Amino acid sequence: MNILRKALQRGLTPSNIISYVCLESMRLWGAFWGTVRLRCKAALLGVAVGPGTRAHGPVGLLRWPGGSIRIGARASLISSRRRATAASLYAPVRLRVFGPGAAIEIGEGAQLSGTSVTARSQRISIGRQVLLAPNCVIVDSDFHAPWPPETRATEPGLERDAPVSIGDYVWIGMNCLILKGVSIGEGAMIGAGSVVTRDVPPFCLAAGAPARVLRRLGPEDAMPGSEGRGA
């Protein structure tokens, strides 16, 4: 009632109040049940989940015996279209390790939105406070040997797998694909729709398919029109 009273004092219409209450209800309800389901599933499958981590909607977990999945403290896993802000989600968050020794590490405070992370035989690490916009895919493998072509359906090509590392404070735009063997440096930004096939240095903006470095990031990126301002 206190919230409604404050809303009325600010001159909001009844329809605005109802809209706000609906939004808050969906957010809180989705976070509550999503987090309960995540923690129950993680406990059953041997997935480590840090304190304060929340899930909005269902999270797909698959851990092969001998593999590991670790989700850091205060991470946010957004699997619900109702909670996604930038775009609709194609699928829930999915974290999957398909072999012994494969690992997924998600850092403290990372935010994933409809992200699919699949480690077949290597380690995929996502740093602290990383932002993954809707519908990104991260893999450590091609999942098939490229040659000879007649055996692609049967040869796994495990020897070609390679680890993936995403540094702290990286921001990856929506619909990006991060391929095997890639290292993205701390504070880098990846433009929406990019296909990252090679390393990206720290504090750089990269975009394209395949992604290439466009420029360095600096203090002038904090706000529009700040170029040339002194300290």
Side-chain angles (χ1 to χ4, degrees), residues 138-217:
I138 306 171
V139 294
D140 71 339
S141 175
D142 298 325
F143 299 99
H144 298 279
W147 199 264
E150 61 269 17
T151 64
R152 284 176 185 164
T154 57
E155 291 297 323
L158 285 165
E159 69 280 357
R160 299 173 61 88
D161 293 1
V164 175
S165 175
I166 299 175
D168 298 342
Y169 309 109
V170 168
W171 183 6
I172 299 177
M174 67 181 73
N175 300 327
C176 284
L177 176 59
I178 313 298
L179 296 179
K180 65 176 189 176
V182 164
S183 177
I184 300 177
E186 178 181 355
M189 293 175 60
I190 309 299
S194 296
V195 179
V196 184
T197 60
R198 64 187 70 179
D199 292 353
V200 177
F203 304 106
C204 284
L205 171 64
R212 61 185 180 89
V213 175
L214 301 180
R215 61 181 175 87
R216 292 277 300 175
L217 298 171

Side-chain angles (χ1 to χ4, degrees), residues 23 54 61 91 181 190 206 220:
L23 288 170
R54 304 180 73 185
L61 297 177
I190 309 299
E220 66 274 8

Side-chain angles (χ1 to χ4, degrees), residues 23-204:
L23 288 170
E24 282 297 289
S25 298
M26 286 190 295
R27 182 180 67 85
L28 296 173
W29 185 257
F32 173 77
W33 282 113
T35 301
V36 168
R37 292 172 64 181
L38 170 66
R39 292 195 175 275
C40 290
K41 190 183 297 184
L44 290 172
L45 297 179
V47 173
V49 180
T53 289
R54 304 180 73 185
H56 300 260
V59 174
L61 297 177
L62 188 153
R63 186 186 69 83
W64 189 268
S68 68
I69 301 175
R70 299 183 62 88
I71 304 172
R74 295 180 294 281
S76 177
L77 309 179
I78 300 172
S79 294
S80 171
R81 59 178 176 80
R82 295 173 177 171
R83 182 65 178 85
T85 54
S88 179
L89 299 183
Y90 298 156
V93 172
R94 295 188 298 176
L95 308 176
R96 300 173 294 177
V97 292
F98 281 145
I104 295 173
E105 301 276 348
I106 298 176
E108 179 180 340
Q111 297 184 33
L112 285 67
S113 296
T115 307
S116 175
V117 185
T118 303
R120 184 172 72 164
S121 65
Q122 302 293 316
R123 182 178 181 222
I124 297 177
S125 63
I126 298 172
R128 294 178 299 149
Q129 302 291 331
V130 169
L131 299 177
L132 280 153
N135 310 317
C136 293
V137 176
I138 306 171
V139 294
D140 71 339
S141 175
D142 298 325
F143 299 99
H144 298 279
W147 199 264
E150 61 269 17
T151 64
R152 284 176 185 164
T154 57
E155 291 297 323
L158 285 165
E159 69 280 357
R160 299 173 61 88
D161 293 1
V164 175
S165 175
I166 299 175
D168 298 342
Y169 309 109
V170 168
W171 183 6
I172 299 177
M174 67 181 73
N175 300 327
C176 284
L177 176 59
I178 313 298
L179 296 179
K180 65 176 189 176
V182 164
S183 177
I184 300 177
E186 178 181 355
M189 293 175 60
I190 309 299
S194 296
V195 179
V196 184
T197 60
R198 64 187 70 179
D199 292 353
V200 177
F203 304 106
C204 284

